[in-house]
Coordinates of all heavy atoms in Angstrom, one line a residue:
K191 N -3.3 -3.1 12.9 CA -2.0 -2.8 13.4 C -1.0 -3.9 13.1 O 0.2 -3.6 13.0 CB -2.1 -2.5 14.9 CG -2.0 -3.8 15.8 CD -1.9 -3.5 17.2 CE -1.7 -4.8 18.1 NZ -0.4 -5.4 17.9
Y216 N 7.2 1.9 18.4 CA 6.7 1.1 19.5 C 5.2 1.0 19.3 O 4.5 1.9 18.9 CB 6.9 1.8 20.9 CG 6.3 1.1 22.1 CD1 6.8 -0.1 22.6 CD2 5.1 1.6 22.6 CE1 6.2 -0.7 23.7 CE2 4.5 1.0 23.7 CZ 5.1 -0.2 24.2 OH 4.5 -0.8 25.3
I217 N 4.6 -0.2 19.5 CA 3.2 -0.5 19.4 C 2.8 -1.4 20.5 O 3.4 -2.4 20.8 CB 2.8 -1.2 18.0 CG1 3.2 -0.3 16.8 CG2 1.4 -1.5 18.0 CD1 2.8 -0.9 15.5
E218 N 1.7 -1.0 21.2 CA 1.1 -1.8 22.2 C -0.4 -1.7 22.2 O -1.0 -0.7 22.0 CB 1.6 -1.3 23.6 CG 1.0 -2.1 24.8 CD 1.5 -1.6 26.1 OE1 2.4 -0.8 26.2 OE2 0.9 -2.1 27.1
E219 N -1.1 -2.9 22.3 CA -2.5 -2.9 22.3 C -3.0 -3.3 23.7 O -2.5 -4.3 24.3 CB -3.0 -4.0 21.3 CG -4.5 -3.9 21.1 CD -5.0 -4.8 20.0 OE1 -4.2 -5.4 19.3 OE2 -6.2 -4.8 19.7
K220 N -3.9 -2.5 24.2 CA -4.4 -2.8 25.6 C -5.9 -2.6 25.6 O -6.4 -1.5 25.3 CB -3.7 -1.8 26.6 CG -4.0 -2.2 28.0 CD -3.1 -1.3 28.9 CE -3.3 -1.7 30.4 NZ -2.5 -0.8 31.3
L221 N -6.6 -3.7 25.8 CA -8.1 -3.7 25.8 C -8.5 -3.3 24.3 O -8.0 -3.9 23.4 CB -8.7 -2.8 26.8 CG -8.4 -3.2 28.3 CD1 -9.0 -2.3 29.3 CD2 -8.9 -4.6 28.5
D222 N -9.3 -2.2 24.2 CA -9.7 -1.8 22.9 C -9.0 -0.6 22.4 O -9.4 0.1 21.4 CB -11.2 -1.5 22.9 CG -11.6 -0.4 23.8 OD1 -10.8 0.0 24.6 OD2 -12.7 0.2 23.6
I223 N -7.9 -0.3 23.0 CA -7.1 0.9 22.7 C -5.7 0.5 22.2 O -5.1 -0.4 22.7 CB -6.9 1.9 23.9 CG1 -8.2 2.3 24.4 CG2 -6.1 3.1 23.4 CD1 -9.1 3.1 23.5
I224 N -5.3 1.1 21.1 CA -3.9 0.8 20.5 C -3.1 2.0 20.7 O -3.4 3.1 20.3 CB -4.0 0.5 19.0 CG1 -4.9 -0.8 18.8 CG2 -2.6 0.2 18.5 CD1 -5.1 -1.1 17.4
F225 N -2.0 1.9 21.4 CA -1.0 3.0 21.7 C 0.2 2.8 20.7 O 0.8 1.7 20.7 CB -0.5 3.0 23.1 CG -1.6 3.2 24.1 CD1 -2.3 2.2 24.7 CD2 -2.0 4.5 24.4 CE1 -3.3 2.4 25.6 CE2 -3.1 4.7 25.3 CZ -3.7 3.7 25.9
I226 N 0.5 3.8 19.9 CA 1.6 3.7 19.0 C 2.5 4.9 19.1 O 2.0 6.0 19.2 CB 1.0 3.6 17.5 CG1 0.1 2.5 17.4 CG2 2.2 3.5 16.6 CD1 -0.5 2.3 16.0
V227 N 3.7 4.6 19.3 CA 4.7 5.7 19.3 C 5.5 5.8 18.0 O 6.0 4.8 17.6 CB 5.7 5.5 20.5 CG1 6.8 6.6 20.4 CG2 5.0 5.5 21.8
L240 N 2.9 10.3 20.4 CA 2.1 9.2 21.0 C 0.7 9.3 20.4 O 0.0 10.3 20.7 CB 2.1 9.3 22.5 CG 1.2 8.3 23.2 CD1 1.6 6.9 22.9 CD2 1.2 8.6 24.7
F241 N 0.3 8.3 19.7 CA -1.1 8.2 19.1 C -1.9 7.2 19.9 O -1.4 6.2 20.2 CB -1.0 7.8 17.6 CG -0.6 8.9 16.7 CD1 0.8 9.3 16.7 CD2 -1.5 9.5 15.9 CE1 1.2 10.3 15.8 CE2 -1.1 10.5 15.0 CZ 0.3 10.9 15.0
Q242 N -3.1 7.6 20.1 CA -4.0 6.7 20.7 C -5.2 6.4 19.8 O -5.9 7.3 19.3 CB -4.6 7.3 22.0 CG -5.7 6.4 22.7 CD -6.2 7.1 23.9 OE1 -5.5 7.5 24.8 NE2 -7.5 7.2 24.0
Y243 N -5.3 5.1 19.4 CA -6.3 4.7 18.4 C -7.3 3.9 19.1 O -7.0 3.0 19.9 CB -5.7 3.8 17.3 CG -4.7 4.6 16.4 CD1 -3.4 4.8 16.7 CD2 -5.2 5.2 15.2 CE1 -2.5 5.5 15.9 CE2 -4.4 5.8 14.4 CZ -3.0 6.0 14.7 OH -2.2 6.7 13.9
S253 N -3.0 12.0 21.7 CA -3.1 12.3 23.1 C -1.9 13.2 23.6 O -2.1 13.8 24.6 CB -3.1 11.0 23.9 OG -1.9 10.2 23.5

Side-chain angles (χ1 to χ4, degrees):
K191 86 168 184 73
Y216 174 78
I217 297 181
E218 179 179 349
E219 186 170 5
K220 192 172 183 179
L221 298 178
D222 64 342
I223 303 296
I224 301 172
F225 298 95
I226 304 180
V227 175
L240 173 60
F241 284 73
Q242 176 181 309
Y243 292 86
S253 56

